[in-house]
Amino acid sequence: MLAFIIRRVLQSALVLLIVGLTAFSMFRFIGDPIDNMLGQERTAMDIERLREQLGLDQSFPVQYYRFLQEAAQGNFGVSYRQGRPVAEILLERAPATLELAAVSGILAIAFGIAFGVFTAIRRKGFTANFIMSASLIGVSLPTFLIGILLIYIFSVELGWLPSFGRGEVVQIGNWSTGLLTSSGLKALILPSITLGLYQMTLIMRLVRSEMLEVLRQDYIRFARARGLRERAINFRHALKNTMVPVITVIGLQLGAIIAFAIITETVFQWPGVGLLFINAVQFVDIPVMAAYLMLISVMFVAINLIVDILYFFIDPRLRVDRAGGH
């Protein structure tokens, strides 16, 4: 078990190094930040002085090494646009993104599993067929279009919910939350539905497919032959075995929710790290872009590592294979 975890941790560290190198390389081709930081009256001496001050006059390997060295200590440099430490800016924006991702993830998992189980058990019913047909909306339509449609219906036409912003927030230490105010909760509804709809339909369809496969197994027929209740068969035996492969996909989707929140935050002008990244691209704010991508990479890798470890405990076949291999 310990060797398994160590191997996964080393693989995760290698992935982070590759992602950081790729991202840092790509930033060299999106423009020169000096053009946005200095006005039209700049001189060649001003350009050289600022380039030296930012460390842009050094070679690429030196810049990347310094970036990794500082990032390992939680220091991502200073924003070219705002002139503030990037870590401080990220800490201000992170609560908005994490709350949006958490609510979206909870909705996607809860409704995805519930609808998946229902459509598998009642697969020939009208309601199950209606849910499966309606789920095509979440699968086929792009996220930004779903967000615009929700804004048009519930904000423009009905006027029930706000169309942008985070609403009123409450400061608890260094954490700002909108979950404790009515305006914050209302502002969270449309973005969380927009962000979680695709993941919910994906989880629902996977749960349904896996559960239908499990219900065809011989031990399920044997359980029915023994006279067990249908509820016990569906939820104690079938659902338990259905969730083994679903957990991996759920873990990946949780990472995707955080990564792809950038689109939802742009549509709803949600003040999170995704919108911060979009603004950073427009102003060629390299420290902010690099810190954002590294942060997302760390979250993805951490979630995948946790899922791998959970999978090891949940699926007894892996433990048997490991024991047999030794």
Side-chain angles (χ1 to χ4, degrees):
M1 178 61 189
L2 181 61
F4 174 79
I5 295 177
I6 293 175
R7 184 164 60 252
R8 285 291 186 267
V9 170
L10 293 177
Q11 291 173 352
S12 301
L14 179 61
V15 169
L16 288 177
L17 289 175
I18 295 175
V19 169
L21 178 61
T22 303
F24 210 78
S25 303
M26 291 171 59
F27 294 152
R28 298 170 62 89
F29 301 101
I30 64 174
D32 191 348
I34 304 297
D35 295 335
N36 292 319
M37 298 178 70
L38 295 177
Q40 296 294 329
E41 305 299 326
R42 64 192 177 192
T43 64
M45 185 176 298
D46 294 332
I47 295 175
E48 289 301 320
R49 183 172 62 252
L50 184 58
R51 193 177 296 278
E52 181 180 355
Q53 180 181 344
L54 297 176
L56 299 177
D57 58 329
Q58 299 176 343
S59 63
F60 174 78
V62 173
Q63 292 184 44
Y64 179 60
Y65 174 74
R66 288 182 56 188
F67 168 73
L68 291 180
Q69 192 176 37
E70 295 293 330
Q73 303 174 14
N75 180 19
F76 296 98
V78 177
S79 169
Y80 295 163
R81 180 190 177 195
Q82 302 185 35
R84 298 167 54 202
V86 175
E88 179 182 315
I89 300 173
L90 290 177
L91 288 176
E92 289 180 358
R93 297 293 194 104
T97 297
L98 292 177
E99 282 189 359
L100 175 61
V103 174
S104 300
I106 292 172
L107 291 176
I109 294 173
F111 285 100
I113 294 176
F115 286 153
V117 172
F118 178 80
T119 53
I121 296 175
R122 309 288 185 184
R123 57 184 178 278
K124 295 182 180 179
F126 171 79
T127 305
N129 289 325
F130 175 78
I131 292 174
M132 290 301 298
S133 300
S135 69
L136 293 175
I137 297 176
V139 174
S140 58
L141 291 182
T143 301
F144 74 90
L145 184 56
I146 294 174
I148 293 173
L149 288 174
L150 291 178
I151 289 174
Y152 177 74
I153 295 173
F154 295 100
S155 299
V156 178
E157 292 295 327
L158 299 176
W160 291 352
L161 299 170
S163 60
F164 66 92
R166 197 183 175 195
E168 185 181 354
V169 297
V170 176
Q171 197 72 27
I172 303 176
N174 294 326
W175 187 275
S176 61
T177 177
L179 299 176
L180 302 179
T181 64
S182 59
S183 63
L185 290 173
K186 288 182 179 179
L188 188 60
I189 293 174
L190 293 184
S192 60
I193 293 175
T194 301
L195 183 58
L197 187 59
Y198 174 78
Q199 278 73 23
M200 185 201 73
T201 54
L202 186 65
I203 293 173
M204 182 194 75
R205 288 177 168 271
L206 179 62
V207 170
R208 180 180 185 273
S209 175
E210 291 294 332
M211 191 156 187
L212 287 175
E213 184 66 27
V214 170
L215 289 174
R216 298 189 189 101
Q217 299 299 316
D218 292 337
Y219 67 88
I220 297 295
R221 297 192 184 98
F222 181 72
R224 287 197 177 100
R226 289 180 56 194
L228 293 181
R229 292 183 178 181
E230 199 68 22
R231 178 183 294 271
I233 293 173
N234 291 331
F235 293 99
R236 185 179 301 173
H237 300 284
L239 182 59
K240 180 180 178 181
N241 290 282
T242 296
M243 293 307 297
V244 173
V246 172
I247 287 176
T248 302
V249 176
I250 288 178
L252 294 176
Q253 292 309 305
L254 290 178
I257 285 177
I258 298 175
F260 298 126
I262 183 172
I263 301 174
T264 304
E265 290 184 6
T266 303
V267 172
F268 290 93
Q269 289 299 292
W270 189 264
V273 292
L275 186 60
L276 176 68
F277 177 76
I278 292 295
N279 294 331
V281 171
Q282 295 174 350
F283 286 89
V284 199
D285 199 341
I286 294 178
V288 173
M289 291 188 290
Y292 171 82
L293 291 179
M294 288 301 295
L295 179 64
I296 296 300
S297 302
V298 168
M299 289 183 179
F300 251 114
V301 168
I303 290 174
N304 286 336
L305 179 61
I306 293 173
V307 168
D308 284 342
I309 295 174
L310 286 177
Y311 207 73
F312 187 87
F313 284 106
I314 292 173
D315 193 347
R317 293 172 297 182
L318 289 178
R319 297 195 296 271
V320 172
D321 291 343
R322 298 288 175 187
H326 293 296

